[in-house]
Amino acid sequence: MADIHYHVTLLSPSAHIFGVHISIFHPNAEGQRLSMPAWIPGSYMIRDFARNIVLIQAATTGQSLKIAKLNKHTWLLPVCDGPLYIDYQVYAWDLSVRSAHFDTTHAYFNGTSLFLRVHGHEHKPCLVELLTPQDEQHYSCWKVATTLTPVCVNPQGFGRYTAFDYADLIDHPVEISPFSETDFEVRGIPHKIVLYGRQRADLSRLGGDLQQICEQHARLFGNLPVDYYLFLIMAVNEGHGGLEHRDSCSLLCSRNDLPRIDMVEKTEEYIRFLGLCSHEYFHLWHVKRICPEVFRQQSLMQEVYTRLLWVFEGITSYYDDLALVRSGLIDTKCYLGLLAQTITRVMRGAGRFKQSLADSSFDAWIKFYKQDENAPNAIVSYYAKGALVALALDLILRIKTEGRCNLDEVMRALWRQYLETGTGIAEDGLEQLTQEVSGLDLRNFFDQAIRGTEDLPLATLLREMGIELRMRPARDSKDQGGMVDEPSVVSAKNVLGIRLQPGTEAVISHVLDEGAAQRSGLASGDFIIAINGLRVNSANLEQLLNQGPSEEPLQMHLFRRDELLSFDVLPLSAPADTCELRLISDADAVSQLRRIQWLCPGL
Ligand code: ZN
């Protein structure tokens, strides 16, 4: 029998309260400590989940016990011979993939939000009982979706589950609601999609498309290390996010991202959603099993530092869209369009000249996860630039070894290493392994790409694949670049070098380095009201910037807080920060073959 039992009660949907009862049958002899995690694996920010515990009490058989709080997330119970019983309530009102959310429509939780860690018992199996809701009439159609191992459950899934240790216990999110669902198989292994929220999605189409993506990833790694896999999707009005787990993933999306019954084409939003699913599924090998050595000893009490997040999020971001084209869900042109947009995103941040990928990984806790108005000028994304480094590395391997080696081979070698040793990878592990597998000396490449801040030689590398990369000014504020048949002719317009907050008013969210706004003294939060005496909103700003001769300064009026200020601003021409990719029609046969082997390796 497990030493630790957790009982979860759907206590009060209207107050958003889960009730948790823990039985510890053999508490530590010198007093029992209990802790809540400070963060959830996969999301590198201190969230202090203990803040949502609103009541906690303890008892032994027939006697209540005093609890001492030792620090923000640790409690100490007195020395006690008999079993310990702890009851606490958890407030759950964060509709995200990282936490817990409970109301009259559903209950969703991650174990990191609900389960106290029982010190000294972390490596022992535990039992979780999900109790049937009291108000049976309202909840009669609610059912449970989770990858926790069932021991004894009713047809709705309520009942007893088991986890082999605390790390396992907190790595299986749980959705309880009258969700929609569909199933498919990959290599004989059952997969389920569970969808919460009001939507009219074509579930069989979604299942078919996800099956192709999953097959693609399983083909890359050579096997599929799960007995069952679950996609938990929350469809809301607006949202986009995902979090990986060892046998499942949680996804948050807009209901408009999903394919409707009557929809034939793949919308941009649906392709982006498939990319997100592809990303989280890839993680089941890459970060949930292959992972940095330092993640093996993580206690979730404080930050864990690694310079390898670019390896786990960057390489995963590279393969997420690549799997869509390799599995035939999108064509080459569509894939290159997505790639061009990633390049544009990276090239629009001057922060890439100040922060290396290694530093971006290391400081994720205080920078990438805590982005402010200066983020584009100060940091680089280990997702987006990491994906471009993975691309550059893949192409270098393909070109320099004349097709003998590529990044797929490196991923398979990483996977073999994990299966043979079960250990995490050292901070220089990927660099060493890539050089071993390829036989190439890549020290200069890694120094520049990972620890340096120079731009990557993508134009040269893509040309060897028969693809032209061209940077040009943006056509308008919505222009993210893309794939073209012929080079676009775009004349550079006047721009201020700002980003606006969403909405109809022209309120500055970001002031970009070396732009006209920064040179003139405009700041984040400024509410622009007039240019040359004419009222401004977010829709007519571009037009008003381009109405006169470009060498003449514009008079701008704005509110900073409640103070009216006036500035003379000389707009600057839009920089060439927008990426356009084009297939070179007369590319030589070697380049064309390389491109086919890269994007359609099955052919
Ligand atoms: Zn990820």
Side-chain angles (χ1 to χ4, degrees), residues 8 109 111 115 126-130 144-151 153 159-174 228 230 247-248:
V8 177
F109 68 85
F115 299 130
C126 52
L127 195 127
V128 183
E129 182 148 7
L130 302 176
V144 178
T146 181
T147 48
L148 279 166
T149 307
V151 178
V153 298
R160 293 184 158 195
Y161 292 82
T162 185
F164 52 82
D165 59 16
Y166 183 74
D168 185 39
L169 172 71
I170 59 171
D171 208 3
H172 301 276
V174 178
Y228 169 54
L230 178 62
D247 300 334
S248 64

Coordinates of all heavy atoms in Angstrom, one line a residue, residues 8 109 111 115 126-130 144-151 153 159-174 228 230 247-248:
V8 N -8.6 14.3 -3.6 CA -8.9 15.6 -4.2 C -10.4 15.8 -4.2 O -11.1 14.9 -4.8 CB -8.3 15.8 -5.6 CG1 -8.8 17.1 -6.2 CG2 -6.8 15.7 -5.6
F109 N -6.4 21.0 -13.2 CA -5.2 21.3 -12.4 C -4.0 20.6 -12.8 O -4.0 19.5 -13.4 CB -5.6 21.0 -10.9 CG -5.7 19.5 -10.6 CD1 -4.6 18.7 -10.3 CD2 -7.0 19.0 -10.5 CE1 -4.8 17.4 -9.9 CE2 -7.1 17.6 -10.2 CZ -6.0 16.8 -9.9
G111 N -0.5 19.1 -10.9 CA -0.2 18.6 -9.6 C 0.7 19.6 -8.8 O 0.6 19.7 -7.6
F115 N -0.6 19.6 -5.0 CA -0.1 18.6 -4.1 C 1.2 19.0 -3.4 O 2.2 19.3 -4.0 CB 0.3 17.3 -5.0 CG -0.9 16.7 -5.6 CD1 -0.9 16.4 -7.0 CD2 -2.1 16.4 -4.9 CE1 -2.0 15.8 -7.6 CE2 -3.2 15.9 -5.6 CZ -3.1 15.6 -6.9
C126 N 2.8 7.0 -4.6 CA 1.6 7.6 -3.8 C 0.3 7.3 -4.6 O 0.3 6.9 -5.7 CB 1.9 9.0 -3.6 SG 2.2 10.0 -5.0
L127 N -0.7 7.5 -3.8 CA -2.0 7.2 -4.4 C -2.9 8.5 -4.4 O -2.8 9.3 -3.5 CB -2.7 6.2 -3.4 CG -3.9 5.5 -4.0 CD1 -3.7 4.0 -3.9 CD2 -5.2 5.9 -3.3
V128 N -3.6 8.7 -5.5 CA -4.4 9.9 -5.6 C -5.9 9.4 -5.8 O -6.2 8.6 -6.7 CB -4.1 10.7 -6.9 CG1 -4.9 12.0 -6.9 CG2 -2.6 11.0 -6.9
E129 N -6.8 9.9 -5.0 CA -8.2 9.6 -5.2 C -8.9 10.9 -5.7 O -8.9 11.9 -5.0 CB -8.8 9.1 -3.9 CG -10.2 8.7 -4.1 CD -10.7 7.5 -3.3 OE1 -9.9 7.1 -2.4 OE2 -11.8 7.1 -3.5
L130 N -9.5 10.8 -6.8 CA -10.3 11.9 -7.3 C -11.8 11.6 -6.9 O -12.3 10.6 -7.4 CB -10.2 12.1 -8.8 CG -8.7 12.3 -9.4 CD1 -8.7 12.3 -10.9 CD2 -8.2 13.6 -8.8
V144 N -13.3 12.4 -16.2 CA -11.9 12.7 -15.9 C -11.0 12.4 -17.1 O -11.2 11.3 -17.7 CB -11.4 11.9 -14.7 CG1 -10.0 12.2 -14.4 CG2 -12.3 12.2 -13.5
A145 N -10.1 13.3 -17.4 CA -9.1 13.0 -18.4 C -7.7 13.2 -17.8 O -7.4 14.3 -17.3 CB -9.2 13.8 -19.7
T146 N -6.9 12.2 -17.7 CA -5.5 12.4 -17.2 C -4.7 11.2 -17.6 O -5.2 10.1 -17.9 CB -5.5 12.5 -15.6 OG1 -4.2 12.7 -15.2 CG2 -6.1 11.2 -15.0
T147 N -3.4 11.3 -17.5 CA -2.5 10.2 -17.8 C -1.9 9.6 -16.5 O -1.0 8.7 -16.6 CB -1.3 10.6 -18.8 OG1 -0.7 11.8 -18.3 CG2 -1.8 10.8 -20.2
L148 N -2.4 10.0 -15.4 CA -2.1 9.3 -14.1 C -2.5 7.8 -14.3 O -3.5 7.5 -15.0 CB -2.9 9.9 -12.9 CG -2.3 11.1 -12.3 CD1 -3.3 11.8 -11.4 CD2 -1.0 10.8 -11.5
T149 N -1.8 6.9 -13.7 CA -2.2 5.5 -13.9 C -3.4 5.1 -13.0 O -3.4 5.2 -11.8 CB -1.0 4.6 -13.4 OG1 0.2 5.1 -14.1 CG2 -1.2 3.1 -13.7
P150 N -4.5 4.7 -13.7 CA -5.7 4.3 -12.9 C -5.5 3.0 -12.2 O -4.9 2.1 -12.7 CB -6.8 4.2 -14.0 CG -6.1 3.9 -15.3 CD -4.7 4.5 -15.1
V151 N -6.0 2.9 -10.9 CA -6.0 1.7 -10.1 C -7.4 1.1 -10.0 O -7.7 0.0 -10.3 CB -5.5 2.0 -8.7 CG1 -5.5 0.7 -7.9 CG2 -4.1 2.6 -8.8
V153 N -11.1 2.9 -11.0 CA -11.9 4.1 -11.3 C -13.3 3.7 -11.9 O -13.4 2.6 -12.4 CB -11.2 5.0 -12.3 CG1 -9.9 5.5 -11.8 CG2 -10.9 4.3 -13.7
G159 N -12.1 8.1 -9.0 CA -11.6 6.9 -8.3 C -10.1 7.1 -8.0 O -9.6 8.2 -7.9
R160 N -9.4 5.9 -7.9 CA -8.0 5.9 -7.5 C -7.0 5.8 -8.6 O -7.2 5.0 -9.5 CB -7.8 4.7 -6.5 CG -8.6 4.9 -5.2 CD -8.3 3.8 -4.2 NE -8.6 4.3 -2.9 CZ -8.3 3.8 -1.8 NH1 -7.5 2.7 -1.8 NH2 -8.6 4.3 -0.6
Y161 N -6.0 6.6 -8.5 CA -4.9 6.6 -9.4 C -3.6 6.4 -8.6 O -3.6 6.7 -7.4 CB -4.8 7.9 -10.2 CG -6.0 8.1 -11.2 CD1 -7.2 8.6 -10.7 CD2 -5.8 7.8 -12.5 CE1 -8.3 8.8 -11.6 CE2 -6.9 7.9 -13.4 CZ -8.1 8.4 -13.0 OH -9.2 8.6 -13.8
T162 N -2.5 6.0 -9.3 CA -1.3 5.9 -8.6 C -0.2 6.6 -9.4 O -0.3 6.8 -10.6 CB -0.9 4.4 -8.4 OG1 0.3 4.4 -7.6 CG2 -0.7 3.7 -9.7
A163 N 0.9 7.1 -8.6 CA 2.0 7.7 -9.3 C 3.2 7.0 -8.6 O 3.2 6.7 -7.4 CB 2.0 9.2 -9.0
F164 N 4.3 6.8 -9.4 CA 5.4 6.1 -8.8 C 6.3 6.9 -7.9 O 7.1 6.4 -7.1 CB 6.2 5.3 -9.8 CG 6.7 6.0 -11.0 CD1 7.9 6.8 -11.0 CD2 6.0 6.0 -12.2 CE1 8.3 7.4 -12.1 CE2 6.5 6.7 -13.3 CZ 7.6 7.4 -13.3
D165 N 6.3 8.2 -8.0 CA 6.9 9.1 -7.1 C 6.3 10.5 -7.2 O 5.4 10.7 -8.0 CB 8.5 9.1 -7.3 CG 8.9 9.6 -8.7 OD1 8.0 10.2 -9.4 OD2 10.1 9.4 -9.0
Y166 N 6.9 11.5 -6.4 CA 6.3 12.8 -6.4 C 6.5 13.5 -7.8 O 5.5 14.2 -8.3 CB 6.9 13.7 -5.3 CG 6.3 15.1 -5.2 CD1 5.0 15.3 -4.7 CD2 7.0 16.2 -5.7 CE1 4.5 16.5 -4.7 CE2 6.4 17.5 -5.7 CZ 5.2 17.6 -5.1 OH 4.6 18.9 -5.1
A167 N 7.6 13.3 -8.4 CA 7.9 13.9 -9.7 C 6.8 13.4 -10.8 O 6.4 14.2 -11.6 CB 9.3 13.6 -10.2
D168 N 6.5 12.1 -10.6 CA 5.5 11.6 -11.5 C 4.1 12.1 -11.2 O 3.3 12.5 -12.1 CB 5.5 10.0 -11.3 CG 4.6 9.3 -12.3 OD1 4.5 9.7 -13.5 OD2 3.9 8.3 -11.9
L169 N 3.8 12.2 -9.9 CA 2.5 12.8 -9.4 C 2.2 14.1 -10.1 O 1.0 14.4 -10.4 CB 2.5 12.9 -7.9 CG 1.3 13.5 -7.3 CD1 0.1 12.7 -7.4 CD2 1.6 13.9 -5.8
I170 N 3.2 15.0 -10.2 CA 2.9 16.4 -10.6 C 3.1 16.6 -12.1 O 3.0 17.7 -12.6 CB 3.8 17.4 -9.8 CG1 5.3 17.1 -10.1 CG2 3.5 17.4 -8.4 CD1 6.3 18.1 -9.5
D171 N 3.3 15.4 -12.8 CA 3.6 15.6 -14.3 C 2.4 15.1 -15.1 O 2.6 14.8 -16.3 CB 4.9 14.9 -14.7 CG 5.5 15.5 -15.9 OD1 5.0 16.5 -16.4 OD2 6.5 15.0 -16.3
H172 N 1.2 15.0 -14.5 CA 0.0 14.5 -15.2 C -1.1 15.5 -15.0 O -1.9 15.2 -14.0 CB -0.3 13.1 -14.8 CG 0.7 12.1 -15.0 ND1 1.0 11.5 -16.2 CD2 1.7 11.6 -14.1 CE1 2.0 10.7 -16.1 NE2 2.5 10.7 -14.9
P173 N -1.3 16.5 -15.8 CA -2.4 17.4 -15.5 C -3.8 16.7 -15.6 O -3.9 15.6 -16.3 CB -2.3 18.5 -16.6 CG -1.4 17.8 -17.7 CD -0.5 16.9 -17.0
V174 N -4.8 17.2 -15.0 CA -6.1 16.6 -14.9 C -7.2 17.5 -15.4 O -7.2 18.7 -14.9 CB -6.4 16.1 -13.5 CG1 -7.8 15.5 -13.4 CG2 -5.3 15.1 -13.0
Y228 N 0.4 5.5 -23.7 CA -0.8 6.3 -23.9 C -0.5 7.8 -23.9 O 0.4 8.2 -23.2 CB -1.8 6.0 -22.8 CG -3.0 6.8 -22.6 CD1 -3.9 6.9 -23.7 CD2 -3.4 7.5 -21.5 CE1 -5.1 7.7 -23.6 CE2 -4.5 8.2 -21.3 CZ -5.4 8.4 -22.4 OH -6.5 9.1 -22.3
L230 N -2.0 11.9 -24.2 CA -3.2 12.7 -24.1 C -2.9 14.2 -24.5 O -2.0 14.8 -24.0 CB -3.7 12.6 -22.7 CG -4.9 13.4 -22.3 CD1 -6.2 13.0 -23.0 CD2 -5.2 13.2 -20.8
D247 N 3.7 12.3 -20.6 CA 2.7 11.5 -21.4 C 1.6 12.3 -21.9 O 0.6 11.7 -22.4 CB 2.1 10.3 -20.5 CG 3.2 9.4 -20.0 OD1 4.3 9.3 -20.6 OD2 3.0 8.8 -18.9
S248 N 1.6 13.6 -21.8 CA 0.5 14.4 -22.2 C 1.0 15.8 -22.4 O 2.2 16.2 -22.2 CB -0.6 14.4 -21.1 OG -0.1 15.0 -20.0

